[in-house]
Amino acid sequence: MKKILVLHTGGTISMHADQAGNVRPDTDNPMNHIGVSLDNIEVTAIDFFNIPSPHITPKHMLQLYQEIKQKAADFDGVVITHGTDTLEETAYFLDTMEIPNIPIVITGAMRSSNELGSDGVYNYLSALRVASHDDAIGKGVLVVMNDEIHAAKYVTKTHTTNVSTFQTPIHGPLGIIMKHDIVFFKMADTRVRFDLTDISGTVPIVKAYAGMGGDGIISFLNPDNVCGVVIEALGAGNVPPRAAQEIVHLIEQDVPVVLVSRCFNGIAEPVYAYEGGGVQLAQAGVMFVKELNAQKARLKLLIALNAGLKGQALKDYIEG
């Protein structure tokens, strides 16, 4: 018998649609009324939060980590139900913590419990199956949606409403859920992990655009109001010249600046040597992140700063 801890946090999977079609939170989580008709699985469910996922903060993520760490010894796996808007961020955060070596699976729904074609119950049962599967051990935090298993590091929400919204660009899913079996194609990457007891600080994301600089958000940033900045740059990792000047000024004030591309696929790297190009930015001290989107790069920098990383150690971790 596999003992699975379920932590409900809210989101569409726990909501209902009213007569006008507006999706609203509910005090009674419908997932608590699902009969778990899966062999050899015993569920202990806790309504840990009941909030829409846009309300989730890194402090909520840290609370989830502490709860999992505290209770892990009594369970064989963990399932977290979560709203989809920030699901990938919570998954990535947990995957960067010193989680126990048991399956940890996050799932959600794109359609609320009483909408036509609701996917919540199916995703929930699928997540329980994966969390109880021996092959899920050692693969880090997994995101299970729509019969697919994704690595927390790479998965992202790609569609506003489609049930197949969660995809992994470049890599594809780690595995799939079949009617009678679960198959993993790949192993998850080795992760550097931290054991934080607190998290604080402000790391904004600034998206690059044509003509950026001079009167944009970067010019208002300084060490008094941010502890780091993520730039979602153009193409392979470039910004307009005036924006580059402002970025250099930030670095001169000891504000760490991390760069990703705003492109959906590919990896940012210092290629172009013109003013504002990636080569100039890297020489100025901008750190290029491999294969993370902006929202995960933000968490990576925030976690690193809270872990006390500075200088070369910070650069090695961010760019590793």
Side-chain angles (χ1 to χ4, degrees):
M1 179 69 70
K2 291 293 184 76
K3 296 181 178 180
I4 306 300
L5 172 65
V6 175
L7 300 174
H8 296 301
T9 69
T12 299
I13 194 169
S14 64
M15 296 182 184
H16 72 278
D18 62 20
Q19 291 183 341
N22 300 315
V23 180
R24 301 180 181 279
D26 201 333
T27 55
D28 184 21
N29 187 345
M31 292 302 106
N32 287 326
H33 302 293
I34 302 303
V36 181
S37 57
L38 300 173
D39 293 338
N40 299 318
I41 293 179
E42 178 184 312
V43 171
T44 299
I46 299 173
D47 287 321
F48 198 66
F49 301 128
N50 185 19
I51 54 178
S53 64
H55 297 191
I56 291 284
T57 70
K59 289 189 181 296
H60 291 111
M61 301 173 193
L62 187 63
Q63 285 180 257
L64 279 169
Y65 165 57
Q66 298 291 353
E67 181 74 6
I68 292 168
K69 188 171 68 168
Q70 180 182 344
K71 289 190 164 60
D74 298 324
F75 294 94
D76 301 299
V78 177
V79 168
I80 300 168
T81 64
H82 197 289
T84 58
D85 284 351
T86 59
L87 185 150
E88 67 192 83
E89 288 165 84
T90 296
Y92 178 80
F93 181 95
L94 293 175
D95 201 42
T96 312
M97 296 295 104
E98 289 187 358
I99 53 174
N101 192 32
I102 59 175
I104 298 175
V105 179
I106 303 186
T107 192
M110 295 303 294
R111 297 171 184 162
S112 61
S113 60
N114 62 337
E115 287 185 87
L116 186 64
S118 174
D119 56 332
V121 173
Y122 186 82
N123 286 339
Y124 177 49
L125 295 178
S126 296
L128 288 171
R129 287 178 61 194
V130 174
S132 64
H133 202 285
D134 289 341
D135 288 349
I137 298 171
K139 291 186 170 62
V141 176
L142 302 172
V143 173
V144 169
M145 297 278 290
N146 201 40
D147 278 336
E148 292 182 338
I149 306 166
H150 296 268
K153 182 176 180 180
Y154 302 117
V155 70
T156 190
K157 187 175 182 178
T158 65
H159 194 285
T160 55
T161 56
N162 197 299
V163 294
S164 65
T165 181
F166 281 92
Q167 303 292 329
T168 298
I170 303 177
H171 297 266
L174 284 183
I176 59 171
I177 298 163
M178 303 164 65
K179 294 294 183 183
H180 303 294
D181 200 2
I182 291 170
V183 176
F184 285 93
F185 307 129
K186 309 170 186 176
M187 294 295 294
D189 289 350
T190 302
R191 309 284 287 125
V192 177
R193 301 191 186 278
F194 302 92
D195 184 23
L196 298 184
T197 56
D198 191 21
I199 190 161
S200 62
T202 300
V203 176
I205 298 170
V206 181
K207 188 164 187 164
Y209 52 87
M212 178 187 192
D215 56 358
I217 185 64
I218 300 176
S219 61
F220 295 102
L221 302 178
N222 59 65
D224 293 332
N225 52 38
V226 298
C227 60
V229 177
V230 173
I231 304 294
E232 196 174 284
L234 307 170
N238 315 300
V239 298
R242 293 174 71 188
Q245 294 169 7
E246 294 171 353
I247 290 171
V248 171
H249 182 58
L250 267 178
I251 294 172
E252 289 173 345
Q253 299 176 80
D254 292 326
V255 176
V257 177
V258 163
L259 183 146
V260 299
S261 175
R262 74 178 193 180
C263 296
F264 187 75
N265 279 298
I267 301 170
E269 57 181 338
V271 175
Y272 290 93
Y274 51 70
E275 187 179 0
V279 172
Q280 180 197 50
L281 296 173
Q283 290 173 344
V286 173
M287 295 174 281
F288 284 61
V289 175
K290 296 181 180 71
E291 295 194 272
L292 290 185
N293 57 27
Q295 53 267 36
K296 292 178 184 175
R298 168 187 170 267
L299 285 172
K300 185 172 189 177
L301 179 56
L302 186 63
I303 290 166
L305 293 173
N306 276 268
L309 298 188
K310 298 178 181 178
Q312 191 62 43
L314 177 64
K315 179 178 174 63
D316 290 345
Y317 172 65
I318 292 295
E319 295 190 336

